Every structure is written in structure tokens, then in C-alpha cells.
Amino acid sequence: MKNKRLSKESKIAIVCAIASGNLLIQEAMEKYHVAKKSTIISWIKTLLTEARERMENARIDQAVTKRSDLENIGIRMFERIEKLEKERLNYEIEKSSLKERISNLEAKLGDEN
């Protein structure tokens, strides 16, 4: 295959994959048709700082997403608690009403006897 020049973004992605342990240098050479190991080592030397920054930013993004997910779960739980508390209050009101009706019926039965 004819050598294609890879973009800087592609090189950074390759360096990220190697630095994170997801790709070996030999695998990168084969996958991206890089003839010399020294080429990839040169990318690592020149692009590692940018690759690390990108990986850190990705970790931060994941943490923010996870935090948002947890916040959403918390909000849904709070809303569910509020709903259940309203239902409980309605049941308490209904219970009180039923007790009152029972008392009235018992009183009527007592009056009839």
C-alpha cells in the first residue's frame, strides 16, 4: 500500500491508544501502515504531552457525565419521594375519613339498638 500521510489528529489518537495501553507500537505500525518503528516513537516523543492532555480531558468529560447521571438519578429519586409522600398523605386523609365514617355508622347502630 502506498504511504499515506497521517494527520496530526490521527497521530495524536494513535499516541493516546499506545499510551493508554490499548494499542502496541507493532500493532499501530501494521494498522496504520507505518514502515518504521522510529516513526511512531518520534510521534510519541513529540505528541505525548498533547495526547496526555486529550486523555485527561476525556477523563474529565467522563467524570462530568457520570456526575450528571448521578445528579439526574438523585433528582428522579427526590421527585419519587415527593410523589410517595403525597400519596401517603392522601392515604392518611382517606384513612381518617373512613375512621370517621365507621364511627358515624357505629353511632347509628348504637342508636338503633
Side-chain angles (χ1 to χ4, degrees):
M1 178 177 188
K2 186 177 178 183
N3 280 346
K4 285 186 176 180
R5 189 164 176 88
L6 293 170
S7 69
K8 182 177 180 182
E9 292 300 313
S10 296
K11 292 174 186 177
I12 291 172
I14 294 166
V15 172
C16 283
I18 292 169
S20 63
N22 294 326
L23 191 65
L24 299 173
I25 292 176
Q26 187 63 39
E27 292 171 331
M29 290 172 61
E30 293 168 11
K31 184 173 181 178
Y32 298 100
H33 308 285
V34 177
K36 297 179 182 177
K37 184 177 181 178
S38 62
T39 301
I40 293 183
I41 291 173
S42 145
W43 297 347
I44 293 169
K45 287 179 182 176
T46 59
L47 300 172
L48 187 58
T49 301
E50 286 182 68
R52 283 185 176 151
E53 286 173 4
R54 188 161 298 171
M55 291 185 319
E56 181 60 26
N57 290 339
R59 278 191 283 272
I60 290 169
D61 289 345
Q62 287 174 341
V64 166
T65 300
K66 187 174 183 177
R67 182 175 180 203
S68 292
D69 290 345
L70 291 174
E71 287 172 346
N72 289 335
I73 290 168
I75 290 168
R76 287 194 305 272
M77 288 175 66
F78 181 76
E79 290 169 348
R80 178 72 176 138
I81 290 168
E82 281 184 327
K83 181 181 176 189
L84 290 170
E85 286 176 344
K86 286 178 185 176
E87 287 178 10
R88 185 190 60 77
L89 181 60
N90 287 336
Y91 288 131
E92 289 294 324
I93 291 169
E94 186 177 351
K95 178 182 170 185
S96 177
S97 173
L98 289 171
K99 281 184 174 182
E100 187 176 326
R101 286 179 63 195
I102 289 171
S103 292
N104 289 341
L105 289 172
E106 286 175 340
K108 281 184 182 179
L109 282 174
D111 290 341
E112 291 177 5
N113 288 333

